[in-house]
Each structure stands twice: as structure tokens, then as C-alpha cells.
Amino acid sequence: MARTLPSQREMVRSKGVIKKDEFVKVITRTLYSLGYNKTGALLEQESGIALHSSRVTSFMQLVLEGKWDESILSLRVINVPIETEKSAKFIILEQKFLELVQNGNTVDAMLMLRNEISPLLINTSRVHQLAACLISHSQQSKTICVSSRPDSLEKLQRLFPAATIVPEKRLEQLVEQALDMQRESCLFHNTLDSELSLYTDHQCARSQIPSETVQILQAHNDEVWYLQFSHNGKYLASASNDQSAIIWEVRDNSQLCIKRKLIGHQKTVCFVSWSPDDSQLLTCGLEEVVRRWDVQSGKCLNIYGKHDLGLVSCGWFPDGKRLFSGVTDKSICTWDLDGREVVCWKGQRTLRTSDIAITKNGKRIISIFRDTSILVHDKEVKVDRLIEEDEVIISFSLSDDNKFLLVNLINQDIHLWSLEGDFKVVSKYKGHKRTRFLIRSCFDGVEQGFIASGSEDSQVYIWHRGTGELLLALPGHSGTVNCVSWNLCNPRMMASASDDRTIRVWGLGRR
């Protein structure tokens, strides 16, 4: 007679952090993955803990058999969040579409793309790729259309919570992460930044990384391009292709809710910047104007622009009394709060679309001024210095202590530059995907000990800042992740913005 399922509170070992049923499921999944099917089945029988519920098993079988309508209907009886159900439906319909194209049923595929996939409003860039599959005799079509049902099932497994479906090779991933953390501990004394506090215990390091989706924000109607937490950690601002920005308030329970939706731009909102005291917010329309908003009332306080020119970025001076912006004529202009132009640095100072930053002491202005060069202008001594790269620069991020610059390159590398003494690269990060879009990275975690980045493969990548080791690749989004922001006042909270029109809030979740 099989034993009854253990209580959800039954734990393994005395620390009470490992749930017995989840632990057994991971072992069972590993046995099946290694081909030990009899041993896996025996463990399920002896423990009384089924790897998957009968509903989940039925769902997985329907996907493998290509019973698309039935598999979509069965999603409703599986215990997954509503937003996950929508993303799962997209994956299922995507596989159905690809098989129709591969079998030459292009008319049915076209109708399906128009009537079933596009209305989901998920991953518009992928929808465009699927449309390319309908172009006959196209080499690109042949490449994009290659897919298999097991591949789709694996995507679904990564999408669902581990408590619902245990992903393939989950144990291997956990062991690899533990070994990475252990290696990170051994390299502690060799870190290039002696002031950076590294985590000497691999389990402690992993516990500091928010790697579980705790909330999905879905108020934008189009791709979310940029987001940034306020300095005090109480708010998150997001910018979207839907021509709006949203101010989200972080509640005491760490849940975010809409405080204000900012409407007024006539083009995509591509950038936001918090005032030093977080009472005001700047929003920049893509090659349009900059608007200044009162956070509490949501009122637009002023509009900044130049006749016949557009603005491409924005930021605050440390005193909060002036603001600056890159202009489409490649100049950099500053205004006082009333809208009077204070000074404009003419000539090749920035690109048409690029980042600009100013240090906290107000002495250095940093901008991308050529495809492969970043200009560091020292206002005090009036000296220009260059950061030179061999590849095209996509974006950059300034560390909170203003000593380092994180530079994203077109070849998918991320370089960490020291801004002290002779400028030099002190670390490199690899692994994320970027082929077409503007991807942003940031300094994250306790004492900014991690590097986080968006990616075109819909994942958030996190590296150890000192060693350059890739620690985690977090799935969940169904479109390109454009930007990541970490809450400086709560390093266990991170947010990511995606083309799938959502913002994912990441936390520690259950450990």
C-alpha cells in the first residue's frame, strides 16, 4: 500500500529550508533524465510522491501528441498563474503554427497567426519572425521554422513554477550553481576590486539573488523599454512603446501597485530619470521632448525641447535644480527647472540615441559620442578623456559610487571599466544574447556585487561582478528583456522590462 503524501511542512534536515516532497521530485526527475526509468518509478512508488500530478502528466502527453486544442484547454485545470497560462498558450500555438508551415499548410498557418497568435499580444518580435516563415523558398524561413514538440515542452517546463512541473536537468543546474559559488568563494582574494564585498559562502551568495518571479505587472499596452527604481526604493518608473510612463509604488508587503500613469508624450517613452530627492521624474520621448512630473500628484510640471530637434536621453544634476539631455543634432543641452536653456555643448558630444550620465559630484559628464567611444568630460579641469572599444557600444551604466562604467557591446560582451586613474577594463561578462535590439545592463545586489542584464532570448542574466562567473539565467518572459533594475534599498528586489509588455518583479521567493 502506497504511503500518503507528506505534509507540505515536512522538511529534510534540521534547518527546515528543504521541502521533502520537492526534494524527492528533483531526484526522481534526475533519475528519469539519466535513463534510470525503473529506479525513478520505484522511487515514486516507495515515497508516495508523484513526480507530476495526473493533470500535468496528461497535459505533457497532449503536447507531445500534438493535440493542441486539448492541451490549451487542459492549461485551465493546472495550478499555474493566469499570466503563465497566457505565455504557455503562445508556446503551444507557436509549435502548431510551425508544424503547419513545415507541412505546407500555409493558408491555415496564416489564419492561425492572424486570429490566434497575434491577438495574444505577446513577443511581437517573435510574431514577426513567424510571419517570415510564410515567405516561400526563404532561407530565413527554413532556419526559423525548425522546431520540435520536445523543445516546446522544455520551454513550457521552464515557464511553469517548479512546484507544478519539475524542469529537465534541474538537479544538474543546482549542482552547477553550487560549484560556481564555491569557485567564486575560492577566488575571493583575487578580486580586481578590493573594496567590493564578495560572498565567501556559495549558499549565502545565491540567497542574495532574487531569482523567483513574485509579481508580474501588466499595465502597459506595448513593449516596455526602460525602467528604474527610485533612489529611496519606494517607487519604480517604467517607460513604454505605448507612449506612456508609469510610476509604481512599492508597498510594505513588497508588492507593487500603480501610483500614477503619465500620459502626454506623442512618441515612445524611451528613458526615465528620478530627481535626487525622488519627488520628481523626468521622462524622455524618443527624439521628442522631456517632461518633468510631480510624483505625488502625477502633474506635468514642465516640458523641455528644442525647435526642430528631438531629445534622446535625460538626467538630473546633483543639486536637483538643473537637467540635461542629449539632442538629435549630437549636442548636449542643460536647462533650469523653468525651462531656460543654461548651456549647450555643441558638436560631436553624443549619438542620436545614446545614454548620458553625470557623476554625483557634478564634475564628470559621460556620453557615447562615437560608435566605439565614450566621452568622459571633466567640467572642473575642462578635459575630455575617452573610453575606446573595438566594437560598437550599445549602452552603458554608471556604478553608484561613480568609480566604474558597465559597457554593453554589439558583439554580446559586457565590459566593466574602471574610471579611476588610467581607464581600463577590469572584468568581462559573456552569455546573454543580443543581435538587433538595445539591451541594458546594471550593477546589482548588496554593495552592487552582481551584474544583471536583459537578453534577446527572453531571460535575465546575472554574473558575479568580481569573477565574471555567470551565476543565473532567469526564464519567465516571452519576449526580449530590454532593461533590468535592482532596488538599491532592497537588494532582494529586482525588476525586468520586456517586449512581452510585462514587467517581472523578482524576489527571493521560497527557499
Side-chain angles (χ1 to χ4, degrees):
M1 180 178 178
R3 292 164 51 190
T4 58
L5 288 173
S7 165
Q8 289 294 316
R9 296 180 180 176
E10 189 174 350
M11 301 294 181
V12 176
R13 302 194 65 182
S14 58
K15 292 186 178 180
V17 296
I18 305 175
K19 293 185 178 180
K20 183 176 181 179
D21 58 338
E22 293 181 0
F23 189 61
V24 171
K25 287 179 180 180
V26 170
I27 296 174
T28 305
R29 163 55 72 191
T30 303
L31 290 171
Y32 283 131
S33 297
L34 293 174
Y36 303 134
N37 296 334
K38 292 182 180 179
T39 308
L42 183 61
L43 180 56
E44 286 193 76
Q45 181 181 7
E46 185 175 353
S47 66
I49 301 172
L51 177 59
H52 298 127
S53 69
S54 58
R55 292 175 177 177
V56 169
T57 301
S58 174
F59 165 75
M60 296 170 67
Q61 190 61 36
L62 288 171
V63 172
L64 291 174
E65 293 175 358
K67 297 180 179 179
W68 313 119
D69 295 339
E70 293 93 328
S71 61
I72 290 173
L73 288 174
S74 68
L75 281 171
R76 300 177 182 177
V77 297
I78 300 176
N79 186 25
V80 294
I82 295 176
E83 61 274 2
T84 301
E85 180 183 329
K86 187 176 179 181
S87 297
K89 184 176 180 180
F90 181 89
I91 293 173
I92 294 170
L93 291 176
E94 176 188 42
Q95 182 60 36
K96 179 182 178 181
F97 170 88
L98 293 175
E99 291 191 14
L100 286 173
V101 173
Q102 290 164 2
N103 293 330
N105 298 328
T106 54
V107 174
D108 291 341
M110 180 179 64
L111 292 173
M112 181 185 170
L113 185 66
R114 180 188 301 166
N115 300 326
E116 298 182 67
I117 297 179
S118 296
L120 289 175
L121 301 178
I122 290 180
N123 198 352
T124 53
S125 61
R126 179 57 175 162
V127 171
H128 294 156
Q129 288 181 334
L130 295 178
C133 290
L134 296 174
I135 303 175
S136 62
H137 308 297
S138 165
Q139 183 62 40
Q140 183 183 16
S141 301
K142 296 175 184 177
T143 302
I144 295 174
C145 290
V146 172
S147 183
S148 69
R149 294 174 188 176
D151 289 341
S152 293
L153 186 56
E154 187 173 345
K155 290 180 185 178
L156 291 165
Q157 290 172 338
R158 291 199 303 266
L159 182 66
F160 290 168
T164 303
I165 296 182
V166 181
E168 288 280 355
K169 300 183 179 180
R170 177 60 173 160
L171 183 58
E172 290 94 323
Q173 293 171 358
L174 294 173
V175 171
E176 286 175 353
Q177 290 168 12
L179 291 174
D180 285 342
M181 296 299 180
Q182 190 173 28
R183 192 179 306 115
E184 158 201 325
S185 176
C186 295
L187 292 171
F188 172 75
H189 294 292
N190 295 327
T191 179
L192 294 168
D193 180 10
S194 60
E195 297 181 3
L196 183 63
S197 296
L198 299 180
Y199 307 103
T200 58
D201 179 84
H202 66 268
Q203 200 165 15
C204 175
R206 185 174 182 275
S207 70
Q208 299 296 323
I209 300 176
S211 58
E212 192 166 316
T213 300
V214 295
Q215 191 178 4
I216 299 178
L217 310 178
Q218 297 179 289
H220 281 295
N221 298 320
D222 210 327
E223 299 167 350
V224 188
W225 283 20
Y226 191 82
L227 78 174
Q228 187 181 82
F229 277 104
S230 59
H231 305 95
N232 60 19
K234 295 181 179 179
Y235 304 104
L236 174 71
S238 57
S240 172
N241 195 40
D242 66 7
Q243 302 178 5
S244 78
I246 295 178
I247 298 175
W248 307 84
E249 184 173 10
V250 181
R251 295 293 178 86
D252 292 339
N253 61 357
S254 294
Q255 292 289 297
L256 278 72
C257 64
I258 294 179
K259 181 175 180 64
R260 299 292 177 192
K261 189 164 188 176
L262 311 178
I263 304 295
H265 283 284
Q266 302 302 308
K267 294 185 178 181
T268 297
V269 183
C270 62
F271 205 84
V272 300
S273 179
W274 291 95
S275 64
D277 64 0
D278 294 324
S279 66
Q280 298 176 58
L281 182 74
L282 298 179
T283 59
C284 182
L286 182 61
E287 299 188 5
E288 190 208 20
V289 298
V290 168
R291 289 175 173 263
R292 178 167 62 91
W293 308 82
D294 178 74
V295 171
Q296 294 303 319
S297 67
K299 179 182 178 181
C300 182
L301 302 176
N302 213 331
I303 301 175
Y304 309 85
K306 293 180 72 68
H307 181 65
D308 292 333
L309 293 173
L311 307 186
V312 296
S313 56
C314 59
W316 295 85
F317 279 83
D319 59 9
K321 297 179 180 179
R322 290 171 296 159
L323 58 109
F324 59 88
S325 178
V327 187
T328 50
D329 67 354
K330 301 182 181 180
S331 65
I332 298 176
C333 286
T334 67
W335 291 269
D336 64 17
L337 296 185
D338 293 329
R340 291 185 290 268
E341 187 176 304
V342 178
V343 65
C344 188
W345 291 285
K346 297 289 187 179
Q348 182 78 33
R349 311 300 298 187
T350 184
L351 297 181
R352 287 182 64 88
T353 302
S354 72
D355 295 333
I356 300 179
I358 189 167
T359 53
K360 288 182 178 180
N361 59 14
K363 294 181 179 179
R364 285 177 167 180
I365 294 180
I366 305 170
S367 63
I368 306 174
F369 91 114
R370 284 202 300 259
D371 285 344
T372 59
S373 303
I374 293 176
L375 179 69
V376 181
H377 173 70
D378 195 314
K379 294 174 54 187
E380 195 170 64
V381 296
K382 297 183 179 179
V383 172
D384 289 345
R385 298 177 64 187
L386 292 180
I387 289 176
E388 298 276 10
E389 290 279 8
D390 294 329
E391 301 286 343
V392 173
I393 297 167
I394 302 301
S395 63
F396 71 76
S397 175
L398 182 65
S399 65
D400 192 51
D401 60 11
N402 296 165
K403 295 180 180 179
F404 297 91
L405 200 68
L406 194 64
V407 180
N408 283 54
L409 303 175
I410 197 170
N411 68 345
Q412 303 184 109
D413 283 1
I414 302 173
H415 289 176
L416 180 64
W417 283 81
S418 171
L419 298 182
E420 294 190 307
D422 295 331
F423 296 167
K424 59 183 178 181
V425 175
V426 295
S427 195
K428 298 180 180 181
Y429 313 96
K430 299 175 180 289
H432 78 301
K433 303 297 185 292
R434 198 225 71 82
T435 57
R436 294 190 299 159
F437 303 122
L438 192 159
I439 301 295
R440 299 182 187 276
S441 305
C442 67
F443 297 87
D444 297 319
V446 177
E447 297 189 36
Q448 297 201 324
F450 300 111
I451 300 298
S453 178
S455 177
E456 288 184 16
D457 65 0
S458 307
Q459 299 187 92
V460 176
Y461 284 75
I462 300 177
W463 296 266
H464 188 282
R465 175 175 165 181
T467 67
E469 292 284 338
L470 177 61
L471 302 178
L472 292 171
L474 308 178
H477 282 291
S478 58
T480 295
V481 180
N482 300 304
C483 184
V484 183
S485 180
W486 211 296
N487 191 325
L488 289 175
C489 294
N490 180 5
R492 298 183 177 186
M493 176 181 286
M494 178 179 70
S496 54
S498 173
D499 281 356
D500 65 11
R501 307 187 177 201
T502 72
I503 298 167
R504 281 186 176 254
V505 182
W506 304 84
L508 298 184
R510 295 176 301 172
R511 297 283 175 178

